[in-house]
């Protein structure tokens, strides 16, 4: 079987089926929909956000589904992806940020130094917070992931610009989670690319992707 590592130096994940591609793409849209919620509303789905943040630290997963914990933890992303593939009007910021992350991932994977820095940084965060209890561990990880994002990914162009309610965008915790979720979305975008996803799939394989997304939601 063809196997694809989900990050440099990480474990291999099976890429022989197309559902892993769908799950990775749903991971992108889940993160960007959460970013939209945070920026516009000041609140976001904690259950979905936990799944997205946790995916950054799933370094020993044997499958793409394991990276996200379970398919149910990606329901928000799958539902958002289905709306996009169906051609329905979705929140423009969600789609805009997803497209930006899918473009940005190509620059990230070509930057070996940055990939190593990111990988080492995530491992350091995971180790340094392992002894903490939730919710303190989750909040600390979000803060440190946001800082790592600022030091690495945010220096790449084009930068992901998040628009929203100024009152929410001035809230330090909201800003932390927006950056952490963008990082999680980018990680899913990298995984999508490593599993063979690309613009060709989105432009010409929409009906197939939609059918498989619906099947995953109903399964």
């Amino acid at each position: 079987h063809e196997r694809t590592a989900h990050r440099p130096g990480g474990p291999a994940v099976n890429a022989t089926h197309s559902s892993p591609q769908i799950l990775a793409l749903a991971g992108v849209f889940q993160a960007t929909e959460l970013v939209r919620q945070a920026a516009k509303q000041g609140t976001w789905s904690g259950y979905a956000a936990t799944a997205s943040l946790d995916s950054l630290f799933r370094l020993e997963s044997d499958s793409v589904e394991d990276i996200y914990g379970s398919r149910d933890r990606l329901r928000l992303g799958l539902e958002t992806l289905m709306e996009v593939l169906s051609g329905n009007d979705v929140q423009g910021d969600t789609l805009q940020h997803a497209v930006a992350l899918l473009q940005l991932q190509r620059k990230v994977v070509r930057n070996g130094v940055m990939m190593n820095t990111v990988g080492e940084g995530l491992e350091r965060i995971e180790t340094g917070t392992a002894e903490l209890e939730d919710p303190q561990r989750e909040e600390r990880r979000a803060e440190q992931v946001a800082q790592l994002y600022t030091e690495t990914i945010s220096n790449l162009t084009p930068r992901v610009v998040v628009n929203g309610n100024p009152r929410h965008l001035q809230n330090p915790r909201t800003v932390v989670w927006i950056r952490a979720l963008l990082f999680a979305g980018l990680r899913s975008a990298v995984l999508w690319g490593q599993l063979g996803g690309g613009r060709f799939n989105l432009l010409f394989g929409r009906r197939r992707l939609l059918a498989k997304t619906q099947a995953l939601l109903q399964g």
Side-chain angles (χ1 to χ4, degrees), residues 192-208:
W192 155 259
Q194 290 176 328
L195 291 168
R199 282 176 293 182
F200 183 86
N201 308 64
L202 291 174
L203 288 173
F204 302 107
R206 180 172 294 190
R207 291 178 62 182
R208 181 181 62 82

Side-chain angles (χ1 to χ4, degrees), residues 141-215:
R141 283 185 172 180
E143 291 168 3
Q144 294 183 9
V145 166
Q147 182 61 34
L148 183 61
Y149 179 89
T150 300
E151 294 170 353
T152 56
I153 307 303
S154 67
N155 294 316
L156 296 175
T157 55
R159 296 186 66 177
V160 182
V161 178
V162 176
N163 298 309
N165 186 314
R167 182 162 55 89
H168 301 319
L169 294 175
Q170 290 167 6
N171 183 310
R173 180 173 181 265
T174 301
V175 172
V176 159
W177 273 95
I178 285 174
R179 289 172 178 162
L181 289 165
L182 285 174
F183 211 146
L186 179 62
R187 176 256 191 287
S188 291
V190 169
L191 181 59
W192 155 259
Q194 290 176 328
L195 291 168
R199 282 176 293 182
F200 183 86
N201 308 64
L202 291 174
L203 288 173
F204 302 107
R206 180 172 294 190
R207 291 178 62 182
R208 181 181 62 82
L209 291 175
L210 176 60
K212 293 186 180 298
T213 302
Q214 290 172 326

